[in-house]
């Protein structure tokens, strides 16, 4: 009998276990969390194609809102103040982008012709190896300019999608700037009480990282680019504004910096016999590099010391994943990941890094 009872009990266990699993599954499907998670998943699928612009809109709203609040002191309508603030903050960036594309389109044919007609004084006396090197430099320059023009043309061919993304970006910037405070308050109500200290610390670290990236990298690049454009114009280079924009873009890459813009110009001057201007542009370039060494830590040091490698990987890897917007999204995503890790480390009792 004992054996029989034991056999019956052993046979009942799988049935009871299966019944418990079915009950648990039924409970999960009928719980409030299931439709919430399902709808969030579907929403993520809908938002995914546009999430880059939404992310950029939230970041720019963080910059626009303080400006809008200052304007709102004189204009009693917050929505109008936000629109004016967006014009003040965003439209110059759009203007720079449009001017850059237009300059590349207009200047590339001239620069290609110039690259093909570079003449070196005494070129007939050069050794074959030197002539081959000069020909290789001309070929590389033509390839770079042609590639840049083809890339711009490819972007222009996708105008409808760019227009949609620009609309989403501007709309999300406006609504995040206007209703971002309420959104943050709503999210705070969804956070469990025990995790709120961590989330508040993460929000604080995120703010420090964003300010460090903005002041330490983007604002520094803007300042260097403006100074470079003025300097190149005074030195007599054509397309000085375009060269200044390129210098600012190179400035964003910590390992490269402004030397990637002024060094080819000096080489060109030395090769073509304009020795004096070649020396002057080298001196000016060293001045820009010195300003970078002083300005970047000065602007970003009081917020958060983001390691240059984080920004470099984000700046180079971002465009591979997200296209042109990746130049901004890449560093920001890695910066936010750094902020989250730093908040977790401090919440776990870690010491302040020196």
């Amino acid at each position: 009998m004992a054996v029989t009872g034991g056999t019956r009990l052993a046979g009942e266990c799988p049935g009871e276990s299966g019944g418990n699993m079915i009950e648990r599954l039924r409970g999960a499907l009928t719980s409030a969390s299931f439709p919430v998670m399902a709808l969030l998943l579907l929403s993520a699928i809908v938002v995914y194609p546009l999430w880059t612009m939404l992310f950029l809109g939230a970041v720019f709203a963080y910059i626009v809102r303080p400006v809008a609040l200052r304007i709102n002191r004189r204009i009693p309508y917050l929505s109008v103040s936000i629109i004016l603030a967006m014009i003040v903050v965003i439209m110059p960036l759009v203007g720079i982008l449009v001017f850059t594309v237009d300059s590349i389109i207009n200047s590339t044919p001239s620069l290609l012709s110039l690259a093909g007609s570079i003449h070196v004084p005494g070129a007939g006396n050069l050794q074959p190896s030197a002539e081959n090197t000069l020909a290789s430099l001309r070929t590389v320059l033509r390839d770079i300019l042609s590639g840049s023009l083809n890339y711009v043309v490819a972007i222009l061919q996708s105008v409808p999608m760019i227009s949609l993304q620009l609309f989403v970006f501007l709309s999300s910037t406006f609504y995040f700037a206007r209703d971002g405070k309420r959104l943050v308050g709503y999210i705070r109500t969804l956070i469990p009480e025990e995790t709120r200290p961590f989330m508040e610390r993460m929000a604080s670290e995120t703010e420090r990282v964003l300010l460090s990236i903005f002041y330490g990298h983007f604002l520094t690049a803007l300042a260097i680019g403006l100074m470079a454009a003025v300097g190149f114009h005074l030195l007599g280079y054509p397309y000085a504004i375009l060269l200044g924009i390129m210098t600012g873009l190179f400035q964003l890459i910590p390992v490269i910096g402004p030397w990637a813009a002024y060094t080819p110009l000096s080489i060109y001057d030395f090769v073509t016999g304009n020795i004096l201007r070649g020396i002057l542009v080298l001196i000016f370039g060293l001045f820009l590099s010195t300003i970078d060494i002083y300005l970047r830590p000065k602007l970003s040091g009081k917020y958060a010391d983001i390691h240059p490698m984080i920004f470099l990987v984000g700046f180079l890897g971002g465009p591979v994943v997200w296209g042109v917007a990746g130049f901004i999204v890449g560093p920001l995503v890695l910066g936010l990941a750094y902020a989250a890790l730093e908040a977790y480390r401090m919440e776990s009792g870690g010491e302040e890094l020196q």
Side-chain angles (χ1 to χ4, degrees):
M1 292 295 296
V3 175
T4 303
T7 304
R8 184 172 61 252
L9 290 174
E12 289 174 358
C13 287
E16 291 176 0
S17 176
N20 290 336
M21 289 181 62
I22 293 174
E23 288 299 325
R24 285 197 297 269
L25 180 60
R26 183 182 294 115
L29 293 176
T30 56
S31 66
S33 60
F34 176 75
V36 171
M37 295 302 297
L39 291 172
L40 286 177
L41 178 61
L42 293 175
S43 300
I45 295 174
V46 172
V47 171
Y48 178 76
L50 301 172
W51 87 267
T52 303
M53 293 297 107
L54 292 173
F55 179 80
L56 287 178
V59 172
F60 275 90
Y62 179 80
I63 302 172
V64 166
R65 183 172 173 82
V67 180
L69 292 179
R70 287 180 175 271
I71 298 176
N72 193 225
R73 297 174 184 174
R74 298 180 178 273
I75 300 178
Y77 303 102
L78 180 59
S79 296
V80 176
S81 301
I82 292 173
I83 292 174
L84 293 176
M86 289 174 61
I87 294 174
V88 170
V89 174
I90 296 177
M91 289 308 160
L93 300 177
V94 176
I96 291 174
L97 179 61
V98 172
F99 177 82
T100 303
V101 172
D102 180 70
S103 298
I104 291 175
I105 293 175
N106 292 329
S107 64
T108 298
S110 300
L111 294 176
L112 284 172
S113 176
L114 179 64
S117 61
I118 293 177
H119 174 70
V120 181
N125 300 324
L126 291 177
Q127 297 295 324
S129 59
E131 293 180 357
N132 293 335
T133 301
L134 185 60
S136 299
L137 289 174
R138 283 198 293 261
T139 302
V140 170
L141 180 59
R142 285 197 296 268
D143 291 343
I144 292 175
L145 294 172
S146 299
S148 300
L149 182 61
N150 292 334
Y151 184 71
V152 170
V153 171
I155 292 177
L156 294 178
Q157 289 175 346
S158 59
V159 167
M161 187 61 186
I162 293 177
S163 300
L164 174 62
Q165 292 180 336
L166 184 60
F167 174 76
V168 173
F169 168 67
L170 295 176
S171 300
S172 60
T173 300
F174 173 81
Y175 286 113
F176 279 129
R178 192 188 70 176
D179 304 321
K181 190 174 182 179
R182 283 192 290 174
L183 176 62
V184 171
Y186 176 74
I187 294 175
R188 185 177 288 115
T189 62
L190 299 175
I191 299 174
E193 189 71 30
E194 61 273 13
T195 59
R196 287 186 183 180
F198 167 74
M199 298 304 295
E200 290 175 358
R201 182 179 291 275
M202 180 177 171
S204 176
E205 291 294 329
T206 298
E207 183 176 9
R208 292 177 59 210
V209 167
L210 289 177
L211 290 173
S212 175
I213 290 176
F214 175 73
Y215 286 107
H217 295 280
F218 293 119
L219 196 59
T220 303
L222 177 62
I224 295 294
L226 289 174
M227 287 188 288
V230 173
F232 292 145
H233 175 72
L234 294 177
L235 289 171
Y237 288 102
Y239 310 109
I241 298 179
L242 178 61
L243 290 173
I245 293 173
M246 292 176 60
T247 305
L249 292 177
F250 287 134
Q251 169 63 32
L252 283 174
I253 310 177
V255 175
I256 297 180
W259 66 266
Y262 65 78
T263 301
L265 294 176
S266 66
I267 293 175
Y268 169 79
D269 284 334
F270 288 137
V271 168
T272 55
N274 197 344
I275 305 299
L276 177 60
R277 192 171 70 170
I279 295 174
L280 291 176
V281 75
L282 273 180
I283 295 174
F284 177 65
L286 292 175
F287 166 76
L288 292 179
S289 298
T290 304
I291 290 294
D292 171 40
I293 294 173
Y294 170 79
L295 195 60
R296 189 192 300 268
K298 189 73 174 179
L299 291 175
S300 64
K302 60 181 179 180
Y303 297 109
D305 188 15
I306 304 299
H307 195 280
M309 191 65 183
I310 295 176
F311 193 85
L312 174 65
V313 173
F315 188 86
L316 297 180
V320 176
V321 181
W322 296 297
V324 176
F327 285 111
I328 300 176
V329 175
L332 288 177
V333 168
L334 292 186
L336 294 178
Y338 169 82
L341 289 174
E342 184 67 10
Y344 177 78
R345 187 182 67 84
M346 296 298 295
E347 192 69 19
S348 301
E351 297 180 357
E352 190 75 24
L353 293 178
Q354 300 296 326

